[in-house]
Amino acid sequence: MLTHYLISSLKNLCKYKASTIVGILSLAFSFVCFVPVVYWINYETSFDSFYKGSSSIYRVYSIEKQTKKENKGASRAIEKKIREQVPGVEASTVSVISQENCCTDEVPYVKVNMLYTDSTFLNVFPQTFVCGETVNPLHAENNMIIKESMAIRLFGSAEEAVGKHLQTLMRKDFPPYVITAVVKDLPDNTNLSFDALVFHNMVNFFSSMPDEAQWSVFFMDLYVKLQPGMSTEAFNNRIKDIPTEVGVNKNIELCALQICDVRHKLSKDAPFTLDFIGLFVISSVLLLLAAVFNFLNSYLDIFRQRYRELHLRAVNGATRKQLYMQMFVELGCSVIIAILVAILLLEPVQYIFGKLLEIEINIGLIYGIFAGTSVCIFIIMELLAFFGFWRLGKNAVSTDYQEQKNKPLLMRRLSVTLQMVISVLFIVVSWIVMEQLRFVGNKDLGINSDGLVRISGFVDVSGKAEEALMQELKTTPGVVGFTDASFKPQHHIDPITTFSNIEWEGKPQGETTSFSLYATDDKFSEIFGLDIKDGKWWKAGCNKCAVVNEEAVKAMGLQNPVGSFIRMPSAYDMSAMDEYEIIGVVGNFHALSFREQIMPMIFLPAPAFNNNLYFRVVPEKEKEVVAMLKSKLPEIDPLLSDANIEPVNKLYEDLNQSEIVGLKIFSFLALVCLMISLFGIYSVIETSTKRKRKEIAVRKVLGAKVYDIIRLFVKEYALIVVFASLVSFPAAYLIMDYWLESYAYHIDIKIWWLIVIFIITSSVVLLTIWKQVFRAACENPAEVVKSE
């Protein structure tokens, strides 16, 4: 019997190929859009969740009470007090992540991403060991654990690495690190990415200082693992006022975040916000629901067209159960075919998706999500179809047989309308994202970024490599000049370079304005092409002078800024204040993404060797000079082998990477959803014209013209587009207006954009239905009446 049902399914697939192909492709496309987006949200919300007991691991940080400024760092003193005063703390550790240049006997230079810590780290973050000591591998200072890929890179195998030495190049008289164990590489979604774990004296460097002094030092990351049963709220309430209770640094309060939340709630360096990702999740869910709805309605309509066949089967002895079984098998076959098509499409889609997001796709996990989604959708569709099948089966076996051939296509039209609403919504979103990107790309940065290139990504503590690089730049044809500066374009304010304890004459009591401080040299203004509004930039040898931007002048309320003095804590003694004379004011320029307001900036002369050089190239020679320098860097100094050379324009483009990727994904979703909508409209219009053949023939006999028949159909589908636009335009406007508010500098949504989108959408829909409607309107009435 099952074989009979399967053969019948294949026959009907061929008979109603237009509707079935549309339904299968729609469902397959929605699958390949939904699964990668679910994988993405799972990836972003599961950082470090692979650690055992990750729900009980917390990152502790502090907040200034007055400014609400977050300080991600902590100190040993804070860790000590939490261990002493908070019951339920199972383990705690501090760590510092930094890059270090090293070498081995065989490898003269390698840049290693170090995680400086001690033996307590493994109590909070247990690792999977490959070989070496597993009980206490960090039992002594300078003991090192390296990851498997680094061991293979340096020594050929994990086993060969154990017992070997890794010598730091920071100072050659420093003792070497001794590799005691090798661990498995961590997944990509971790906040604690490292090449090597080192028991380093850096984590105890300030331990000799008085506790009160340590409470003002925040350069380590503090993690705490709680015993099961202690809630986040209870832990936060307990640690919040510890600084006040201890009586040191009463200006701060402590906070804690679960480790999975650190990426999006504390680090804030993720290219995509959870709200942004959530928008994609909602969109993909709506797309999948629309496809499922369309698929079910399409099949129910096919069975309604076969109502006479079902009734004849019942007359010839088929029971209601057998009719149900036939309909369920036919529906199930089509769903399985859609799943198989989706599998073929998933491989290239997930590859493109991974490239766009710059993440490594876990093939096993994404196919696991696909399998789970497929099973759920299969079951849901069979359950939902039961209600339609139940009514069809009941009527088919009834002795009171009535032909249902002319039953209205209400559900099909509702399905198409829903899809059109989603399609128009996607199109509007994509259009507005595109316009915002155009605005960002054309907005004046406030600097002359053309021909400006940055060299960074190397670690040179001594300054010898950077000095050699400077000498090379001086003799490189095409290089106009260069500057050494701590300035870097970035997404958000860097707390390390942000200070609020700046004093100036006339400063209001309790004022807590934050300023961005940048260490630069005397060539910075010239190389960046800054607009000097007042005064001048300093010359070499000036140590106690400063230049500010217009926003800083505004924040300080200075009428005559040049000649004024500012005071700030000394870099060498935080209890002392250094005084600087403002000798110049520069125009505002963007140091952050366009989501952030331009900060008040202060530029101070500082020693060279920030490991961050900018050089300017003569017009049209940028690529040539960059290529030449890239080839020379290892020859200049081995420390420069891993240096990055990037045009400054690209650095600013990277700040908009989330919008660029978002536009591509939204455009893809919009295209898929529009295709599904047009497939649905094509299927509905085909069915509708077949059902209305007699009505069209009668209208023509009574004098209706071809134009009148076409207008009848066009009016119906024009109303669908109008309704979809009336629903989607306000929704899209509210969503995107909220999205644009996250930008300090953004466009305004223009009404004419919506009008253009409406015209384009209407035209596409009319072109989709035109051929079938025109053919139906031109059909010979006599032939129709004879066949009917």
Side-chain angles (χ1 to χ4, degrees), residues 450-574:
D450 294 333
L452 192 59
V453 183
R454 185 181 77 173
I455 304 179
S456 62
F458 58 94
V459 181
D460 178 25
V461 178
S462 67
K464 292 181 181 179
E466 189 165 347
E467 178 64 32
L469 178 57
M470 290 179 179
Q471 294 301 321
E472 181 66 31
L473 288 173
K474 288 179 181 179
T475 59
T476 300
V479 174
V480 176
F482 60 88
T483 180
D484 184 290
S486 64
F487 167 79
K488 296 178 182 178
Q490 51 196 2
H491 284 94
H492 303 285
I493 299 168
D494 189 348
I496 297 177
T497 62
T498 305
F499 293 83
S500 57
N501 48 354
I502 309 293
E503 296 181 2
W504 62 89
E505 186 178 351
K507 178 180 179 180
Q509 187 70 25
E511 178 68 44
T512 56
T513 303
S514 294
F515 295 82
S516 288
L517 266 62
Y518 296 107
T520 66
D521 61 16
D522 58 306
K523 300 294 185 183
F524 183 80
S525 174
E526 176 188 347
I527 298 302
F528 271 75
L530 301 184
D531 184 11
I532 305 291
K533 297 293 185 180
D534 193 8
K536 61 183 179 180
W537 196 265
W538 66 76
K539 294 183 179 180
C542 181
N543 296 321
K544 293 299 180 181
C545 51
V547 174
V548 298
N549 69 343
E550 292 176 293
E551 196 64 31
V553 173
K554 179 181 176 182
M556 291 187 283
L558 300 177
Q559 297 299 321
N560 299 298
V562 175
S564 300
F565 289 87
I566 57 174
R567 300 173 71 241
M568 65 188 70
S570 172
Y572 305 100
D573 183 1
M574 298 297 289

Side-chain angles (χ1 to χ4, degrees), residues 56 77 414 448:
S56 298
L414 285 175
N448 181 9

Side-chain angles (χ1 to χ4, degrees), residues 36 78 83 228 288 295 297 575 582 585 590 649 712 734 737 740:
I78 296 175
R83 291 292 301 269
L288 182 61
F295 188 90
N297 280 303
S575 61
I582 298 176
V585 178
H590 291 275
N649 280 331
L712 183 70
L734 292 174
D737 186 61
L740 288 172

Side-chain angles (χ1 to χ4, degrees), residues 75 131 325 384 400 444 465 467 570 577 641 683 763 784 786:
S75 66
C131 58
M325 184 62 67
L384 292 175
D400 184 19
D444 182 16
E467 178 64 32
S570 172
M577 299 290 282
S641 300
S683 178
S763 301
V784 173
K786 185 192 304 182

